[in-house]
């Protein structure tokens, strides 16, 4: 797994999506290829940032995963591999696209499509803040349709 992720960071096998006309997943892609816009949040094993690819000005989400000190058989590598494999093979309008990945000393960076309109949780919080209530039945149906479409796919 460790070697797989190291190789993925250099040459992802499936991801050919481009941002600025050239393959985003190339040996020259580094953290310096992006400008940090804002911190989006923290997941179970990563921090996520909105970043802008410098050449194209395209906004993306970059998941920063600390792998410093991790050994080849550590659970973190299996988690990263699973996420990379799942995202790499899915192309659906209800699922964020994966663009590639790269690493530096101690971190692995996974670049994905940015959820421009925010997450389901963001929308629910905003709705509660603005109305004092959760989603209407109609809004719930729309969200559930989208979630189910992604899940069925």
């Amino acid at each position: 797994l460790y070697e797989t992720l190291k190789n993925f960071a250099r040459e992802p096998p499936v991801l050919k999506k481009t941002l600025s006309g050239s393959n985003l997943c190339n040996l020259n892609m580094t953290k310096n290829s992006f400008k940090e816009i804002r911190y989006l949040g923290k997941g179970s094993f990563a921090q996520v940032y909105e970043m802008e690819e410098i050449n194209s000005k395209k906004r993306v989400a970059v998941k920063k995963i600390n792998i410093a000190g991790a050994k080849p058989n550590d659970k973190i590598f299996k988690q990263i591999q699973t996420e990379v494999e799942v995202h790499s093979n899915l192309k659906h309008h209800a699922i964020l696209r994966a663009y590639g990945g790269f690493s530096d000393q101690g971190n692995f960076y996974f670049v994905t499509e940015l959820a421009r309109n925010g997450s389901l949780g963001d929308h629910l919080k905003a709705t509660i803040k603005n109305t004092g209530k959760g989603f209407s039945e109609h809004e719930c149906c729309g969200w559930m349709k989208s979630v189910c479409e992604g899940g069925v796919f």
Side-chain angles (χ1 to χ4, degrees):
L1 295 177
Y2 181 76
E3 287 303 314
T4 300
L5 289 172
K6 280 175 54 179
N7 291 335
F8 175 83
R10 279 188 240 115
E11 277 186 63
V14 179
L15 305 176
K16 300 297 180 192
K17 180 71 180 175
T18 61
L19 291 180
S20 58
S22 62
N23 189 356
L24 175 65
C25 310
N26 63 47
L27 295 171
N28 298 322
M29 188 168 76
T30 68
K31 188 175 178 190
N32 294 329
S33 303
F34 300 91
K35 177 175 87 173
E36 185 178 320
I37 303 300
R38 67 186 172 115
Y39 175 76
L40 295 175
K42 183 176 189 276
S44 60
F45 61 94
Q47 296 174 324
V48 182
Y49 298 87
E50 178 178 349
M51 293 194 168
E52 182 178 85
E53 199 258 346
I54 292 173
N55 292 329
S56 69
K57 306 293 186 216
K58 174 128 176 127
R59 298 282 176 98
V60 296
V62 177
K63 186 176 282 194
K64 177 182 175 184
I65 305 163
N66 183 333
I67 56 172
K71 295 181 179 35
N73 292 328
D74 286 352
K75 182 180 176 184
I76 187 73
F77 291 112
K78 182 64 177 165
Q79 290 174 307
I80 295 169
Q81 183 182 30
T82 299
E83 184 164 0
V84 166
E85 287 174 354
V86 168
H87 275 282
S88 297
N89 293 305
L90 297 177
K91 305 243 183 324
H92 189 273
H93 73 276
I95 300 171
L96 294 176
R97 287 200 151 194
Y99 293 134
F102 59 95
S103 60
D104 65 12
Q105 296 172 327
N107 294 299
F108 179 78
Y109 300 88
F110 188 42
V111 183
T112 67
E113 180 179 7
L114 179 66
R116 287 218 172 264
N117 296 321
S119 69
L120 172 60
D122 294 337
H123 284 276
L124 181 57
K125 287 176 191 172
T127 300
I128 291 170
K129 182 179 178 184
N130 294 333
T131 66
K133 301 184 282 183
F135 292 139
S136 68
E137 185 175 335
H138 180 73
E139 290 169 314
C140 282
C141 288
W143 280 108
M144 288 305 299
K145 179 179 182 270
S146 182
V147 168
C148 290
E149 286 174 349
V152 167
F153 178 75

